[in-house]
Amino acid sequence: MAKSKLILYISLISFLSLVKSTPNIGFTTDLIHRDSPQSPSYNPSLTPFQRIINALKRSSKHSRRFNAPQSNLLYSGGDYLMKFSIGSPPAPSLGIADTGSDIIWTQCQPCVTCFNQSLPIFIPKTSHTYRKISCNTTRCHLLPDSYCSTSREKNCLYSVEYGDQSYTYGELATDTFTLSSSYGNNTVSFRNILFGCGFKNGGVFSGSESGIVGLGGGKASLVRQLGQGKFSYCLNSLSGSSKLRFGSIAKISGRRVVSTPLVRKSPETYYYLTLEGIRVGNEQFLSDSRQEGNMIIDSGTTLTFLPPGLYAKVEKAIRRSVKLKRTKDRAGVLSLCYFTRKDIVKFPEVVVRFKGGDVKLNYENVFVRTSDVAVCLAAKPAEEGPVIYGNIAQMNFLVGYDLKKRTVSFKPTDCGKL
């Protein structure tokens, strides 16, 4: 799973009265930044710059967690929250939505060990649609860390230990997941969603969440279980509302669309692209590695992490072009910062060259303001983790994933107007 990202909160809304009769139409969700006033963990005492610095620090830690030895899944760090309900009758839940994870899990009673959460903990016995999974079924083995109970029932159990020592243990089950509609008080329900009912959970959790909702590429993720085949998102800003879409309405088309292949690699949880290089002004720089699938695209990681050699060349080229006084990043995260109270007016064109197409970045994709007098390059060298295309680079792009055609597409978009 992906860890410590630019945190956004997801409030599920949908066209999904349509989904019951025509499931291929799909649905739309709202993405709300963690630090926005709409977020349950909004802290009004923090300045906008403190919120940005916190996100950058989380992002810097996050890049190292893709390589954690405990599991091929890594805890996302609470980047998005998704509102949904489990069971019949529906019990409200709030899960971290993570594009770098497959498993869906929530805390369940009776708890052996549970972290504090704001919502009541789910009680399986109160749902008449809750069904345990037998360990001799195919669904039990969709997760790599599943095993059989020692009881006569031979139920399917799971265990996940993340790189930051967070963990969840429990039983795999199915139940009805209910999502809120954007129209009136309508809701839509999905039956037999596989998820983990966690009786022993702990680690770095804030308490706003009840568990995790995996949106990765594996078969157990919500994306794959809904069977929509496509999803897209459009990230507005660090504090604005954004959109997440599933199904045919997530298709990206029209002028200025750039598509690049999704590369199949292990683990299948992550979404791998091929970075060929970066152009800064008239200077072309090739990636350190031309291997297929050398970059992970992650909507929850704030910064972009580049191959060290490529990063050094990009930073040097920007330094040659931007003639402003240098300053240090107060947070100690970013290495190239400029002393300025205004946005940088004269800066070189930056183009990310993926296999199959080039993505021209805007100013807000390249630089991030970390104080009232500092603007920094929103990238770091990937010294201790994988190469990652982060969400600052994706802001105000409609980013679409087609899991059948195996492509990711980018289209410049004013996300605030969607």
Side-chain angles (χ1 to χ4, degrees), residues 187-228:
T187 60
V188 60
S189 296
F190 297 91
R191 299 176 180 176
N192 299 317
I193 296 295
L194 179 71
F195 74 105
C197 207
F199 302 116
K200 187 177 181 182
N201 321 287
V204 187
F205 296 99
S206 68
S208 297
E209 68 274 34
S210 308
I212 290 176
V213 178
L215 298 175
K219 294 178 181 178
S221 76
L222 184 63
V223 172
R224 296 287 296 275
Q225 290 196 63
L226 293 182
Q228 299 291 321

Side-chain angles (χ1 to χ4, degrees), residues 144-158:
D145 299 312
S146 60
Y147 57 98
C148 280
S149 68
T150 56
S151 68
R152 260 191 283 178
E153 294 177 307
K154 295 296 180 183
N155 294 330
C156 185
L157 306 180
Y158 77 93

Side-chain angles (χ1 to χ4, degrees), residues 113-131:
T113 304
C114 284
F115 55 86
N116 293 328
Q117 66 176 59
S118 56
L119 291 172
I121 295 176
F122 179 60
I123 305 174
K125 68 180 182 180
T126 63
S127 171
H128 64 77
T129 49
Y130 182 88
R131 299 288 184 272

